[in-house]
Amino acid sequence: SGLADALTQQVVRRALAAQQAWRDAGLDIPISVNLPIDSLDHLDLPEQLGAELARHGTAPDRLILEITESGVMKDLTRSLDVVTRLRLRGYRLSIDDFGTGYSSLEQLQRFPFSELKIDRAFVHGASQDPRLRSIAESSIRLARDLHLKTCAEGVETEADYALMRELGCELAQGYYVARAMPAPELPRWALAREAVLRG
């Protein structure tokens, strides 16, 4: 429908507004936003994002841009230019759904990612399936060798959470950690979880 760019701008704007409210409530955390791969064709993307960050008082390293690796780039040279300028400005780039597209390793070699997100297809049930465990373990080892942070998607059980920790995965995302919630509820949930973890 031609509205992807406008929708992305709204998502970024709302995400940064929520992050600003969390900071005001004493919770200073980075936020991730999915970025359609088509957005990398726009040479003014770094300037657009910079204007939104300035409006909300957020530093570039507090915004993680998740790029789905299965997408198809229209202009590789232009996309590389945009991605490089984003990284030089301090944005963090995450390769999302890693392992589900044909170009996973090629994109890792070409783009300056800072994080690798292991797709839930290789995480959910990995504690029970040796094949899934092997894929998750290999992905985490690869990320470590490339000096990338790792995030496991689809962590829904204590066993899978424990396995990801054992394998050295740094971040977990999924129902075992928390279900989706309205933005205003996050600071209260974070404080309650911190209290539980402390003991």
Side-chain angles (χ1 to χ4, degrees):
S1 62
L3 296 175
D5 288 340
L7 177 61
T8 298
Q9 290 174 14
Q10 279 296 318
V11 169
V12 169
R13 192 169 295 135
R14 291 189 180 201
L16 292 174
Q19 185 186 46
Q20 185 176 19
W22 297 335
R23 268 198 317 273
D24 293 342
L27 181 63
D28 183 14
I29 58 173
I31 193 166
S32 296
V33 174
N34 287 96
L35 191 68
I37 206 158
D38 285 351
S39 297
L40 298 180
D41 289 329
H42 303 305
L43 291 175
D44 62 344
L45 178 64
E47 287 71 29
Q48 288 180 6
L49 290 173
E52 289 299 331
L53 290 180
R55 187 174 294 120
H56 293 93
T58 301
D61 67 347
R62 307 307 281 167
L63 177 63
I64 303 167
L65 303 171
E66 296 186 7
I67 301 170
T68 302
E69 60 93 9
S70 57
V72 178
M73 296 175 192
K74 297 175 186 172
D75 186 332
L76 179 60
T77 301
R78 181 178 296 199
S79 297
L80 281 168
D81 179 21
V82 172
V83 166
T84 300
R85 288 194 293 126
L86 287 169
R87 285 293 285 141
L88 288 173
R89 291 180 184 214
Y91 293 92
R92 292 155 63 184
L93 301 177
S94 177
I95 182 168
D96 196 15
D97 300 336
F98 181 74
T100 58
Y102 70 92
S103 60
S104 301
L105 297 176
E106 183 180 12
Q107 288 205 25
L108 270 182
Q109 185 267 330
R110 284 178 169 167
F111 288 89
F113 289 105
S114 54
E115 180 184 82
L116 183 151
K117 294 191 77 173
I118 306 166
D119 189 76
R120 72 180 312 279
F122 308 120
V123 174
H124 182 58
S127 58
Q128 306 297 321
D129 187 330
R131 294 171 303 171
L132 295 181
R133 176 190 172 119
S134 180
I135 293 171
E137 186 172 11
S138 298
S139 298
I140 293 167
R141 187 182 309 116
L142 173 64
R144 187 182 303 121
D145 290 346
L146 295 174
H147 307 290
L148 304 177
K149 282 190 172 293
T150 48
C151 178
E153 299 180 299
V155 177
E156 297 185 6
T157 67
E158 184 175 359
D160 286 339
Y161 179 79
L163 174 62
M164 293 303 115
R165 287 192 66 175
E166 176 189 330
L167 297 179
C169 190
E170 297 163 277
L171 301 169
Q173 175 182 325
Y175 285 167
Y176 179 73
V177 179
R179 292 184 175 269
M181 67 186 75
E185 293 182 13
L186 183 62
R188 189 182 321 114
W189 172 87
L191 288 172
R193 182 170 178 81
E194 185 179 359
V196 169
L197 292 175
R198 283 181 177 174

